[in-house]
Amino acid sequence: MIRQIGLGAALAGALFLGWLGTRTPAPAGADAPATAFSTARAVVDIARISQAPHPVGSVDHAGVRDYVLGRMAALGLSPTVQASQAVETRSFGGDAYVIGGQVENLVGILPGRDRALPALALMAHYDSVPGSPGAADDATGVAAILETIRAIKAGAPPERDIIVLITDSEEAGLLGARAFFAEHPLRKRIGLLINLEARGNGGRANMFQTGPQNGEIVAGFARTASAPISNSLAVFLYETMPNDTDFSVSRDAGVSGLNFAFIGRQFDYHSPTATLANLDQGSVQHIGDQTLAATRRFAGSDLPGKAPDAVYSQTFGDHILAYPAWGGWLLWLATAGVIGVAVRRLRGPGEPWPRAGLARGAGAALLLLTGAALALHTARRVTGVGFGFLEQRPLLAQWALWETTLAVIAVGMLLLVPAMLGRGERRWPPVLSALIGGLLCQLFGGWDLVGGGLAIATAALAGAVLGKPVRIEQAWGGVLGVGLILALALQALQPGVAVLVAWPLAMAALAALATDMGRETRVGRVILLTLLAGVSGGWLAVYFHGVAQGLDLPAILGLFGLLGALVAWPLAARDGRRALWPALGVLAIGIVLVGAVRYREPWTERHPMVTSVLHVSDTATGKAWRIATTPELDPWSRGVLTAEGGSVVRRDFRPIQRREVWAAPAKGAAQTPPLTASRAPDGSVIVEGDARGRLVMIDVQSGALASVIVNGKAVKLQPRASTAKATPPGKVWTRLRWQGDPGPIRVVLPASGPVEVRYAVVSEGWPAGTPPLPPRPGTVMPFDLSDSAVVTGAASLP
């Protein structure tokens, strides 16, 4: 009974520590000390910047630019505007992309005592995506920098210059940062840079990127961090994902630093709901506290140099645990030694090694890993929610419920496998359950290789491991052996990721030694085991929260079931007829929660459903259309499309979308083609005109091109990414996206052979002279370019 009490206390303690480790601080008021960061003061700027969506090139964008310039001037930064045309290239899906436009960066300097020293730069962007006011992304970043500068000025002057860089057109393709680090003379003076971003409207700020050879940077950050969330696992995950911020540009230019962002309340990311009213003001305080502390640290002392990458992690409170990669080897050897001493006690004088029990314990650890992954993956499939930025929004609309569901299922599996092994559970029920889980993955959403593979692996492990009871100490020894192998592999391949396994394993080693591999049941020893399980679980809970938010891949969270079991196994293992009841009860709650997620209406006035409707005038055919670009067609959008009597069909409207969209015929006045395509005397293709749209899209299909010329600037294209299906010669697409430039555009492509040109010019606002859009219900909202007028055209050149 004492172990069951300890298990409950450990789970409660882990939940409490996880909550402490993820909650945001109370926002400071306007009466905070002049040298402190105050959310109340920063919110004044956030309110003004996020009054309305302000994508690059819009009227509201110009208003935000002028406001921020005025604020920088009032702070004595002597701001200047860097106006430039910036271009970047990408390769995606076998196509080459050229993304560019007019940018206006805002650059100011707070002079330091020694102007000759390398400067510290603070960077955020002032543009938003279309349709979103961007209270978090990135009005909060801009406001946090302005408030940081005010607080710095209220104290002693900094030792070095602080450059304030408020970039433009980050959302379009990091264009402002590219222009600054390619052209601006101050770029050569920057020794370290702090960037502020957001991928949601709440949560603690995560310092998730530093640049290479970050040992000294992390050490400096650790000395000043305030309730941080930062770890080398986040660095690894982010740098393996196809995501970028302005910090990517500075890092590629050789400037290291700190990249901060908060990612909670992701429903609001790039959404009309990203308002000040929905912004977690504790998040503003947290990112401001981090920025001010790091700015004081690095502006007032020597800048960090290059040092081997650090392995590091948040722990509790203000503490960052950091050490060099070789320190991981020492930790692993020490942990292995302690586990070896503890496991050695399993063999009495003259007794053989309990190899079978250890082996089945190791198999049970793998069964827990695959079983938890299967259960979580099946839950995700059964919700019926698709995968993708727009498709997953029903889950984001009820995130608290969904994250709770995932946590309950993970805990249920952590309780189930040790109890099945200790009880000697028959093989066929878990084997059949695994196969049913794999079948459900196929039934909900179509063919699913991941679900099928996990089901087969889980069934095979259950058949091999279960059937006879295994003593707790022997099973735990096998589990710790799997932990040692996993930690060793990660230490050899990715030391920064190994931190996630190494420290729970170290605590498990101490617990095993102190409790004689779980055989010691005296109250004091069980209390120690409970404390270690609770601390380890609380530390893992913060990671669970971050990974669940950052990746829509619930199967990965199965790893946390195994990591939690490293310490909690002897508390969860039970025998007897009722051994499975607690685990089955928790899993039953998880099943009920999955049903609630699937059948509960997700859309409310706080979390409205996305709609995206456009009016398209096609100059090539003289026809007009109403289209909807969302994956599913909701009733309001269907009413918009059919308002002029047309029937809804699926149709290709490239370059607006690369896939077919919902469309219905509409009425519209004839449009003069804003762009023309022709051949130059040398055979090159010229696409030009006075588009007068905030966004211009031009797609050209031809033979593969090495470069293009945009408004007189030569642009070298990136090599095309390989695809599973080879692209026929002469069928390669080069896609241009030009934003924020109301003037003429001229694109020259050295293309020979037949060429097909498609273009679209987007202007925000429903076109005049057409039937207006009906009012939206409170549970429906426009998204991105919705409610815009688009003029399209096409040309074929022999």
Side-chain angles (χ1 to χ4, degrees):
M1 184 63 181
I2 189 171
R3 282 180 175 165
Q4 284 71 52
I5 295 174
L7 177 62
L11 290 173
L15 179 63
F16 177 70
L17 290 175
W19 172 74
L20 282 180
T22 55
R23 66 170 183 163
T24 55
D31 57 349
T35 55
F37 187 94
S38 163
T39 294
R41 292 190 284 255
V43 157
V44 176
D45 292 323
I46 297 174
R48 173 59 185 86
I49 295 171
S50 63
Q51 279 184 344
H54 44 283
V56 59
S58 65
V59 173
D60 288 301
H61 175 267
V64 170
R65 175 203 61 205
D66 293 343
Y67 172 78
V68 176
L69 273 174
R71 289 284 288 116
M72 292 172 69
L75 289 169
L77 301 179
S78 303
T80 59
V81 177
Q82 179 201 8
S84 178
Q85 283 194 345
V87 180
E88 80 134 348
T89 60
R90 297 177 183 174
S91 179
F92 178 76
D95 298 336
Y97 280 80
V98 180
I99 301 170
Q102 184 70 29
V103 300
E104 293 182 310
N105 293 326
L106 315 180
V107 186
I109 302 177
L110 178 65
R113 285 194 291 260
D114 189 344
R115 306 295 306 276
L117 291 175
L120 171 69
L122 305 181
M123 180 167 66
H125 66 89
Y126 72 95
D127 63 306
S128 76
V129 296
S132 174
D137 181 20
D138 198 20
T140 291
V142 174
I145 288 177
L146 297 176
E147 171 64 4
T148 293
I149 293 297
R150 186 211 57 75
I152 291 289
K153 290 190 66 178
E159 189 66 24
R160 65 187 70 251
D161 287 358
I162 300 177
I163 295 175
V164 173
L165 172 57
I166 309 299
T167 62
D168 193 8
S169 204
E170 189 270 353
E171 302 293 2
L174 320 180
L175 300 181
R178 295 188 187 282
F180 180 88
F181 284 99
E183 303 169 4
H184 203 287
L186 285 178
R187 72 190 189 279
K188 298 178 180 179
R189 290 200 54 212
I190 298 175
L192 193 76
L193 182 141
I194 298 173
N195 184 58
L196 305 185
E197 259 292 355
R199 201 182 117 191
N201 237 32
R204 282 196 191 182
N206 189 338
M207 197 285 286
F208 63 97
Q209 194 177 23
T210 59
Q213 297 181 288
N214 65 14
E216 289 194 13
I217 295 175
V218 170
F221 169 68
R223 284 192 285 271
T224 63
S226 173
I229 288 188
S230 182
N231 53 76
S232 46
L233 172 66
V235 173
F236 168 78
L237 290 177
Y238 184 79
E239 293 187 349
T240 57
M241 295 166 62
N243 296 337
D244 282 308
T245 67
D246 279 341
F247 189 87
S248 303
V249 180
S250 60
R251 180 201 59 197
D252 293 345
V255 179
S256 294
L258 305 173
N259 199 5
F260 291 95
F262 48 82
I263 64 171
R265 301 187 184 182
Q266 284 193 36
F267 181 89
D268 300 320
Y269 179 56
H270 286 182
S271 166
T273 58
T275 62
L276 176 59
N278 293 331
L279 178 64
D280 180 357
Q281 296 196 14
S283 302
V284 180
Q285 188 66 44
H286 192 250
I287 201 169
D289 287 342
Q290 306 298 321
T291 305
L292 179 57
T295 300
R296 282 209 171 101
R297 167 72 188 177
F298 294 121
S301 62
D302 292 339
L303 293 180
K306 300 292 185 181
D309 284 342
V311 177
Y312 64 100
S313 172
Q314 74 279 341
T315 55
F316 301 101
D318 294 338
H319 183 248
I320 289 276
L321 174 70
Y323 50 89
W326 56 261
W329 289 111
L330 297 181
L331 176 62
W332 187 88
L333 289 172
T335 302
V338 173
I339 291 175
V341 171
V343 172
R344 186 178 179 85
R345 297 176 181 175
L346 295 179
R347 181 184 180 187
E351 294 181 358
W353 275 103
R355 292 185 178 87
L358 292 171
R360 292 174 66 196
L366 298 177
L367 174 61
L368 173 56
L369 176 63
T370 62
L374 173 62
L376 292 163
H377 183 73
T378 302
R380 177 65 175 84
R381 300 279 291 188
V382 170
T383 64
V385 176
F387 290 84
F389 179 65
L390 291 180
E391 289 82 351
Q392 72 167 134
R393 294 188 68 80
L395 294 182
L396 299 180
Q398 42 190 341
W399 178 254
L401 175 62
W402 176 234
E403 186 176 10
T404 300
T405 303
L406 296 174
V408 168
I409 292 172
V411 170
M413 292 303 299
L414 187 153
L415 299 178
L416 179 66
V417 175
M420 286 196 301
L421 191 66
R423 182 175 182 261
E425 179 65 30
R426 293 170 295 175
R427 294 184 176 93
W428 71 264
V431 170
L432 181 61
S433 298
L435 296 178
I436 292 174
L439 179 61
L440 289 175
C441 290
Q442 316 308 315
L443 294 177
F444 290 90
W447 171 246
D448 177 26
L449 183 61
V450 173
L454 286 171
I456 293 172
T458 301
L461 286 166
V465 170
L466 301 177
K468 295 181 180 180
V470 178
R471 294 168 60 178
I472 290 176
E473 63 273 17
Q474 295 177 11
W476 196 15
V479 172
L480 295 179
V482 170
L484 276 174
I485 294 172
L486 178 59
L488 177 64
L490 290 175
Q491 179 63 33
L493 299 174
Q494 287 291 341
V497 179
V499 68
L500 180 64
V501 181
W503 288 99
L505 184 63
M507 285 187 270
L510 294 176
L513 188 63
T515 63
D516 193 20
M517 290 299 297
R519 290 180 291 190
E520 178 60 74
T521 58
R522 284 182 293 179
V523 173
R525 301 299 177 89
V526 175
I527 289 176
L528 176 60
L529 177 61
T530 299
L531 288 174
L532 289 171
V535 170
S536 173
W539 190 69
L540 290 169
V542 176
Y543 276 97
F544 183 98
H545 177 69
V547 174
Q549 284 185 321
L551 299 172
D552 185 22
L553 298 171
I556 292 178
L557 300 175
L559 175 63
F560 290 93
L562 172 59
L563 297 180
L566 291 176
V567 185
W569 188 279
L571 296 175
R574 305 180 66 192
D575 55 18
R577 294 176 57 188
R578 300 179 180 179
L580 300 182
W581 286 17
L584 295 177
V586 172
L587 288 173
I589 294 173
I591 292 172
V592 171
L593 292 176
V594 171
V597 171
R598 177 177 175 87
Y599 294 108
R600 178 173 178 250
E601 175 57 52
W603 311 123
T604 64
E605 292 191 2
R606 170 62 182 89
H607 299 104
M609 179 174 53
V610 164
T611 59
S612 180
V613 295
L614 305 171
H615 186 282
V616 179
S617 297
D618 186 0
T619 61
T621 62
K623 296 180 178 179
W625 299 82
R626 293 181 172 212
I627 71 170
T629 61
T630 49
E632 303 295 332
L633 190 62
D634 62 280
W636 183 86
S637 298
R638 180 177 291 277
V640 170
L641 266 58
T642 58
E644 299 184 60
S647 299
V648 176
V649 297
R650 296 287 285 175
R651 194 173 184 276
D652 186 352
F653 274 89
R654 301 186 189 195
I656 300 173
Q657 289 278 329
R658 293 186 62 178
R659 54 177 173 77
E660 288 186 340
V661 300
W662 308 99
K667 300 175 182 177
Q671 298 279 346
T672 302
L675 301 177
T676 61
S678 61
R679 288 276 189 190
D682 65 357
S684 297
V685 174
I686 300 175
V687 182
E688 60 185 339
D690 193 1
R692 297 191 180 278
R694 196 193 59 78
L695 169 62
V696 178
M697 311 176 188
I698 301 173
D699 285 2
V700 178
Q701 187 182 57
S702 65
L705 303 179
S707 63
V708 299
I709 300 173
V710 184
N711 286 355
K713 179 180 290 189
V715 180
K716 184 179 179 181
L717 302 181
Q718 286 191 11
R720 285 167 169 78
S722 60
T723 58
K725 184 178 180 181
T727 303
K731 298 294 184 180
V732 176
W733 286 98
T734 301
R735 306 182 188 275
L736 173 76
R737 304 294 181 264
W738 198 255
Q739 300 192 47
D741 186 1
I745 185 171
R746 190 172 195 267
V747 184
V748 181
L749 305 99
S752 59
V755 171
E756 181 181 349
V757 179
R758 300 179 183 179
Y759 66 81
V761 178
V762 182
S763 301
E764 272 89 354
W766 199 252
T770 62
L773 294 174
R776 284 180 169 88
T779 57
V780 170
M781 67 178 177
F783 198 82
D784 195 46
L785 293 171
S786 185
D787 304 7
S788 294
V790 186
V791 179
T792 63
S796 296
L797 303 179

